[in-house]
Amino acid sequence: MKKTLFSLLAVLAFGGAGVAQSVTVWTTLAGLSLEWLQQETDSFTDAFDVDVEIVELTLGELREQTLLSAPDGQAADVLVGVPHDQIREMAEGGVLADISSFATPAYLDDLSEPARRAYSIDGKLFGLPLWVEGPALIVNTDLVPEIPASYEELIELAQELTTAETFGFMFDINNFYYSYNWIHSYGGYIFGRDSSGGFDASDIGLANEGAIRGASELQSLRHEHRLVQAGTDYDVANRLFVDGALAMTYDGPWALSRFHDAGVPLRVVPVPPRSDGTEWSGFMGVQGVLLNQFSAAKANSANLAKWLVRPDAQARLSRLSGRIPASIAAVAQVDDDPDVAGFGAALRNAEPMVDIPEMGQVWQPMTKALSAITGSAETDVAAALERAVQEIRGQ
């Protein structure tokens, strides 16, 4: 079995490249995730008799040292825990291997379409997704024992639960990272794509009809529905949920430890679809495994990469650290963990964070636009979004 697996992966990966008997891994992982990596590399060594050295780096150190050192043969063979929106410079700098040739159809079919797309640049695959992360609806089940069937029912219930003692639904509404769920789900987008599938920074969809509808709904959450109170930011919503006074919020897995530590009974689910059946699609991040184009141990590095992202390994990572697997099969293996299952379902149709430099020009103008839109019911939503687009264009 060992020989068959090795031979198959080596041929698929790099067409018989020379085999070295050691692999170096640079990783940004820490804590329980790092413990998982050590366990998996130990099992890889036992299976293939290939030694693995793990070196911990910050993300900035990993990127800089890979760009500078890889061409001279001084960088790691495998990079683990690099967000998909941080790889473009390395890919365009020629230090990452195009691994399309050994990402088998079975592996790709086991990923959600957004997870597959996240590590693709100009039609080439530069990483194997390992886990995903992003926001979902988090519900206090003491206050909401039954999840609303539709978004409209969610709004109605939230209004009923907004009383002198409790709040129905609140989140960091002026943070574009969270509010993009509304803008995108109604038909807005950040950048369009060209004929090759790459982002077209000249095509900005943040003031189109769908974006206006989504931002108008955000305005309604504050003024018409009277749910998101004035002054609400991340800390306010988070603290109210911890105190058991907030029925529903929109947040990511990074918030759960605080909620659980506070003893809040909760459930994680996708935001319910609108009454017309439209599902929601906000941001998500993807982290995974990359390979050094200049590695002298390409076959073993490819084998290790495949070893780390197989469904069983992803399921073990999830059980140990709470990560949301990129593998659909792995999510099914840990469906007894309601938090993981909930985020897994919510992120199935999410939009990978845009990875081109022009994304840096989006945050501030959209924060200003959202603050104006939610700050007053009189704000012209279309005009506010158009001003943001003009600022993004540098006009």
Side-chain angles (χ1 to χ4, degrees):
M1 178 179 176
K2 179 194 309 182
K3 181 177 179 182
T4 300
L5 178 61
F6 178 87
S7 300
L8 174 62
L9 295 182
V11 170
L12 288 175
F14 293 100
V19 177
Q21 292 304 306
S22 64
V23 173
T24 300
V25 175
W26 285 353
T27 184
T28 64
L29 303 189
L32 293 174
S33 297
L34 180 60
E35 181 180 327
W36 166 85
L37 180 61
Q38 186 65 65
Q39 292 172 357
E40 291 300 323
T41 55
D42 286 347
S43 66
F44 177 80
T45 296
D46 291 342
F48 295 108
D49 195 25
V50 175
D51 292 331
V52 180
E53 178 188 9
I54 298 175
V55 179
E56 302 168 51
L57 298 172
T58 66
L59 178 58
E61 291 170 339
L62 185 151
R63 292 174 63 227
E64 181 179 357
Q65 292 187 32
T66 301
L67 282 165
L68 292 175
S69 304
D72 297 327
Q74 301 299 313
D77 305 292
V78 179
L79 312 174
V80 179
V82 183
H84 78 275
D85 59 340
Q86 299 294 314
I87 72 166
R88 181 173 288 272
E89 185 179 7
M90 291 189 288
E92 293 179 346
V95 299
L96 295 184
D98 175 5
I99 53 183
S100 307
S101 61
F102 79 94
T104 65
Y107 169 74
L108 294 175
D109 288 345
D110 187 41
L111 298 172
S112 67
E113 190 276 332
R116 291 196 302 270
R117 193 170 69 242
Y119 276 114
S120 298
I121 299 176
D122 298 330
K124 298 178 180 179
L125 185 66
F126 287 101
L128 298 180
L130 184 57
W131 79 79
V132 299
E133 57 190 359
L137 186 69
I138 304 177
V139 175
N140 179 330
T141 54
D142 272 351
L143 298 175
V144 184
E146 184 175 345
I147 305 300
S150 69
Y151 177 71
E152 289 78 8
E153 290 182 22
L154 181 153
I155 297 301
E156 183 178 350
L157 176 61
Q159 290 174 315
E160 294 175 4
L161 291 171
T162 300
T163 67
E165 292 80 29
T166 60
F167 299 89
F169 179 51
M170 296 173 68
F171 69 101
D172 192 4
I173 194 169
N174 292 332
N175 186 331
F176 181 59
Y177 177 81
Y178 294 101
S179 287
Y180 184 63
N181 187 31
W182 277 257
I183 291 172
H184 186 230
S185 299
Y186 278 88
Y189 57 88
I190 300 175
F191 300 122
R193 292 183 179 268
D194 57 29
S195 58
S196 66
F199 285 109
D200 178 359
S202 67
D203 178 9
I204 302 175
L206 292 173
N208 67 9
E209 181 179 349
I212 294 168
R213 289 180 60 203
S216 296
E217 177 58 24
L218 292 168
Q219 189 178 58
S220 295
L221 288 175
R222 169 75 180 88
H223 297 285
E224 179 185 347
H225 306 315
R226 299 186 179 278
L227 295 177
V228 182
Q229 306 301 307
T232 298
D233 60 13
Y234 185 86
D235 289 337
V236 169
N238 193 276
R239 184 172 62 251
L240 287 171
F241 200 90
V242 165
D243 292 342
L246 177 58
M248 294 174 282
T249 191
Y250 183 66
D251 208 339
W254 44 85
L256 290 190
S257 60
R258 187 177 179 192
F259 296 163
H260 285 308
D261 289 347
V264 180
L266 61 83
R267 185 175 172 189
V268 179
V269 296
V271 177
R274 303 205 301 271
S275 57
D276 63 3
T278 303
E279 295 184 342
W280 297 81
S281 176
F283 277 133
M284 80 171 182
V286 184
Q287 297 209 27
V289 183
L290 317 175
L291 297 181
N292 176 359
Q293 171 65 20
F294 296 94
S295 170
K298 287 184 175 178
N300 283 333
S301 299
N303 288 335
L304 177 59
K306 293 284 286 186
W307 187 264
L308 294 175
V309 301
R310 68 199 196 283
D312 287 351
Q314 291 192 34
R316 279 191 289 272
L317 173 61
S318 181
R319 292 191 187 99
L320 189 63
S321 67
R323 301 290 190 186
I324 316 304
S327 160
I328 297 171
V331 171
Q333 287 187 42
V334 294
D335 63 0
D336 56 334
D337 183 326
D339 295 342
V340 171
F343 278 113
L347 298 175
R348 188 69 60 84
N349 298 312
E351 179 77 6
M353 180 70 71
V354 176
D355 67 343
I356 60 175
E358 289 84 354
M359 183 64 195
Q361 302 168 20
V362 172
W363 299 104
Q364 185 176 2
M366 285 305 298
T367 297
K368 289 170 56 179
L370 289 169
S371 297
I373 288 166
T374 64
S376 170
E378 304 304 316
T379 298
D380 185 322
V381 174
L385 292 177
E386 186 56 40
R387 284 195 298 271
V389 168
Q390 295 305 314
E391 287 186 45
I392 294 168
R393 295 187 190 277
Q395 299 174 352

